[in-house]
Amino acid sequence: MYTGLYAAVSGSFAQEKRLAILTNNLANANTVGFKADRPVFEVIPSPVVVQAASPAGTAPGSFTLLNQLQGRDSTQTQLRTVSTDFSQGDVQQTGNPLDLALEGRGFFAVQTPSGVAYTRQGNLSLSAGGTLVTHGGLPVLGSEGAIQITGGKPQISPAGQVVVNGTVVGQLQLVDFPQPYALDKQGEVLFRPRYPDTPTSAANAVVRQGAIETANAQPVRLLVSVLESSRAYEAYQKVIQAFNDTAGRAVNDIAGRA
């Protein structure tokens, strides 16, 4: 048993998890209001301490990573947490009066079957009954419940006031939470507070009508990261295979001497 095997296995698992997170970010690069996730890893000591010998039969220099992993103290890489990047996405003009982008900190409040959730996704529409809903069909909440729009095109102010034919029909519920955000992602674009925090008014949020906030995932950078992670995963797999081959030869040698 070699110290590097533990590092290689844990490193392989870590790269597999990182790859899953990166590919999900890439898949949502065109999702309105999407916030990219960032894996946070930690390296911890392994309780197993063994000799730091190179596997017999391994060609010198054939596995640089293998040599780097050899050491008297074994370590393991573990996923500590997945954090969400809440930075502002680009604001893109669409001209659709039901498209809303938020500039600055804050979220729209929406009603879900399991309670109120929060989102930055503002490509909205009207239900058959005239309720303002999200792309997924969830009612968008105002200060007095779901917002109803009938009889004309809405005019929505930077403060979130909704006016139809000169009559105020609602006020968008724009909320914020203390930073750093302790929000858990539900699906791709919904968030819920991790603790029972009461949201406050998003005083500095500005609503831009006829625009959407694009995802803050950067496709080109993500593609590079996916390639890097894939190659690292393959390298770890080669290291594991090298240890496996070495163990197999050792077993055969012992069996041959018996």
Side-chain angles (χ1 to χ4, degrees), residues 11-239:
S12 177
F13 285 148
Q15 291 300 330
E16 187 175 5
K17 292 175 181 177
R18 179 173 184 259
L19 193 57
I21 293 169
L22 291 173
T23 53
N24 183 66
N25 288 342
L26 189 58
N28 285 282
N30 292 321
T31 300
V32 175
F34 177 78
K35 298 301 177 186
D37 292 319
R38 301 284 186 263
V40 179
F41 295 96
E42 62 180 353
V43 178
I44 62 174
S46 169
V48 179
V49 179
V50 293
Q51 293 297 321
S54 298
T58 303
S62 60
F63 292 108
T64 303
L65 181 58
L66 175 63
N67 296 330
Q68 292 174 349
L69 289 173
Q70 296 295 337
R72 193 165 295 278
D73 296 321
S74 178
T75 59
Q76 296 183 23
T77 304
Q78 292 186 352
L79 179 66
R80 187 177 71 188
T81 186
V82 178
S83 65
T84 301
D85 178 8
F86 287 98
S87 63
Q88 175 86 46
D90 293 334
V91 174
Q92 184 179 96
Q93 299 296 321
T94 67
N96 184 341
L98 293 178
D99 282 345
L100 305 177
L102 279 180
E103 289 185 343
R105 287 174 48 182
F107 301 86
F108 299 110
V110 299
Q111 185 66 52
T112 76
S114 57
V116 178
Y118 306 92
T119 186
R120 298 275 298 192
Q121 188 175 56
N123 50 333
L124 310 180
S125 60
L126 295 179
S127 69
T131 301
L132 189 63
V133 297
T134 66
H135 181 69
L138 300 174
V140 178
L141 296 177
S143 55
E144 298 181 1
I147 296 176
Q148 298 292 126
I149 298 176
T150 58
K153 292 183 179 180
Q155 298 295 320
I156 303 175
S157 73
Q161 187 178 70
V162 184
V163 178
V164 179
N165 295 329
T167 301
V168 177
V169 298
Q171 168 66 47
L172 288 170
Q173 193 179 139
L174 306 176
V175 303
D176 198 14
F177 296 88
Q179 288 192 321
Y181 287 135
L183 300 174
D184 290 327
K185 185 178 283 188
Q186 306 289 315
E188 304 300 347
V189 295
L190 296 179
F191 298 92
R192 283 195 172 89
R194 189 172 307 148
Y195 311 109
D197 289 338
T198 301
T200 59
S201 175
N204 296 322
V206 176
V207 179
R208 299 300 184 194
Q209 186 177 19
I212 56 172
E213 180 187 0
T214 62
N216 64 358
Q218 301 179 16
V220 175
R221 183 173 295 178
L222 281 170
L223 279 172
V224 172
S225 297
V226 165
L227 289 174
E228 290 175 347
S229 190
S230 297
R231 289 169 181 167
Y233 178 80
E234 291 173 359
Y236 280 121
Q237 290 299 305
K238 290 179 180 179
V239 171

